[in-house]
Amino acid sequence: MVNKETWSTRYARPELHLGFRSRCVLVCLRWIVRPLLAFVIRGGERRVAKAQLNLAARFPRNGQLANFDYQILGDNEQAVPGHILGESFAPSDKPVLLWLHGGAFVLPALPDGHLTFVQRLCRSLDADAFVPDYRLAPANPYPAGLDDCERAYRFLLNAGIDPQRIVIGGESAGGNLLVALLFRIRKAGLPMPACAVPVSPVLDLARLHGAASRSVYARTDAMLPLADLARARDWYVGEADASCPEISPLMGECKGLPPLLIFSGSSELLADDSALLARKASAAGVSVELAQWPGMPHAFPLLEDWMPEARQARDDMTAFIKQHLTDNRNTEIT
């Protein structure tokens, strides 16, 4: 595995011991969720389209999402639809979370998964949020989804939101889009957000094997069927060069990125994607925190309803974000 030499691991939990409930969840993920994801992808575009419709309709029964609204931000070529938590995006001191959901580039945001997590995080931060409903493969390969994420960020800036009050987060495929979006922000000369939180990001789509963790944990990863995900990768990449840093962000330059807190499980097959990003970003002078939790599955902070340990990850995420929002405010006052 990749050695972790130079970056902070303040939010890592090497002492973590999974409870009985979480160990049972890992078994369920391996024998239910992982085969289900493989089944959907193997079924081709028609089955994926059916899954997109079914998953988007899975609203929680307890009414947790009463404050969410679905809107289209912007107009014409710059319009992007998505889920909004909050009254408006009027300029204020309130933080704004831009969360880029995962789903192998082919599945939509889950109301009883992504959106409930975003709501909990917003409550912890007293923040508003926007979860872009970015275009999905196979119908919309790269760069459609990334274009939508860039439009969402530009909308927040054009609405008068102070970039130092914006936080970008994303898990899995959304973590890929997050880092690629930071590259676009830098290239366009736009102001960077206060900080960013990639969770279990997939950062190399140019090669299936990639870093060692992909081979070592290919059979034991609780959630991700690596060989089947190759088809989803091909749908997203389309005719583009998969080595492009906007598709495989590990190939890009990290200089000038905002502070990063990177989460992953230590034994998930994408563990080394996170570690390699931390190494590159740290070498480029970026402030990086790498939190690789032992025994935890892919994108585990979003599994709070299933795994109690995920609550601590959200608390750590909240503390990191608040620290950088506070640091930026103090800098402005000075």
Side-chain angles (χ1 to χ4, degrees):
M1 301 304 100
V2 174
N3 293 323
K4 302 178 276 293
E5 304 113 340
T6 58
W7 53 86
S8 170
T9 56
R10 174 158 49 113
Y11 294 104
R13 300 289 169 181
E15 76 286 355
L16 181 69
H17 297 285
L18 292 184
F20 175 75
R21 176 179 175 180
S22 294
R23 293 197 300 271
C24 292
V25 168
L26 287 174
V27 173
C28 292
L29 291 174
R30 176 167 178 78
W31 293 105
I32 298 176
V33 175
R34 175 173 163 150
L36 184 60
L37 181 58
F39 172 78
V40 169
I41 294 175
R42 288 175 190 171
E45 297 187 21
R46 185 172 181 177
R47 190 177 294 167
V48 167
K50 184 176 180 180
Q52 289 173 348
L53 292 172
N54 290 338
L55 291 173
R58 293 182 57 85
F59 277 85
R61 297 180 181 179
N62 56 9
Q64 291 186 70
L65 299 181
N67 293 327
F68 266 94
D69 190 15
Y70 189 91
Q71 295 186 19
I72 299 176
L73 305 184
D75 300 302
N76 302 319
E77 294 82 3
Q78 298 305 313
V80 56
H83 307 272
I84 291 177
L85 175 62
E87 296 299 325
S88 68
F89 292 130
S92 71
D93 288 337
K94 204 170 185 181
V96 175
L97 174 65
L98 178 62
W99 190 269
L100 311 180
H101 70 82
F105 301 103
V106 301
L107 298 177
L110 297 172
D112 61 350
H114 299 102
L115 301 188
T116 52
F117 167 78
V118 169
Q119 185 167 66
R120 287 174 177 144
L121 187 56
C122 283
R123 286 173 176 167
S124 300
L125 295 167
D126 187 25
D128 295 331
F130 183 56
V131 182
D133 188 13
Y134 60 82
R135 287 168 288 175
L136 299 170
N140 297 283
Y142 168 86
L146 181 57
D147 288 345
D148 290 342
C149 295
E150 180 182 0
R151 289 167 186 166
Y153 188 73
R154 286 180 178 271
F155 176 88
L156 296 179
L157 295 180
N158 293 336
I161 305 299
D162 182 350
Q164 293 304 300
R165 306 301 295 167
I166 299 175
V167 176
I168 305 180
E171 96 289 345
S172 194
N176 174 294
L177 293 169
L178 183 159
V179 182
L181 174 58
L182 294 178
F183 291 166
R184 282 203 173 180
I185 292 171
R186 182 183 59 196
K187 182 178 180 180
L190 299 174
M192 284 287 177
C195 59
V197 184
V199 177
S200 296
V202 52
L203 299 173
D204 184 2
L205 299 184
R207 48 196 58 77
L208 188 62
H209 55 287
S213 64
R214 295 192 180 192
S215 300
V216 172
Y217 301 124
R219 293 186 178 181
T220 59
D221 186 291
M223 291 187 68
L224 300 181
L226 182 60
D228 295 296
L229 289 173
R231 177 178 289 187
R233 175 201 61 185
D234 292 343
W235 284 334
Y236 176 68
V237 173
E239 300 298 322
D241 179 0
S243 293
C244 166
E246 289 192 354
I247 297 175
S248 295
L250 281 180
M251 309 303 158
E253 167 60 50
C254 293
K255 185 176 181 180
L257 299 188
L260 302 174
L261 172 57
I262 309 169
F263 281 95
S264 79
S266 63
S267 55
E268 65 166 295
L269 60 86
L270 295 178
D272 280 353
D273 287 45
S274 293
L276 286 167
L277 174 63
R279 170 181 286 177
K280 288 199 68 172
S282 179
V286 177
S287 174
V288 181
E289 308 277 358
L290 176 64
Q292 289 197 318
W293 287 39
M296 300 303 286
H298 179 71
F300 71 91
L302 278 70
L303 303 179
E304 192 171 328
D305 286 337
W306 295 358
M307 308 185 79
E309 295 85 355
R311 170 62 186 271
Q312 182 61 60
R314 177 164 62 86
D315 289 344
D316 291 347
M317 197 179 298
T318 300
F320 172 84
I321 293 171
K322 284 184 175 180
Q323 173 196 338
H324 289 284
L325 291 173
T326 301
D327 288 348
N328 291 327
R329 178 177 292 180
N330 291 338
T331 300
E332 291 171 2
I333 294 174
T334 301

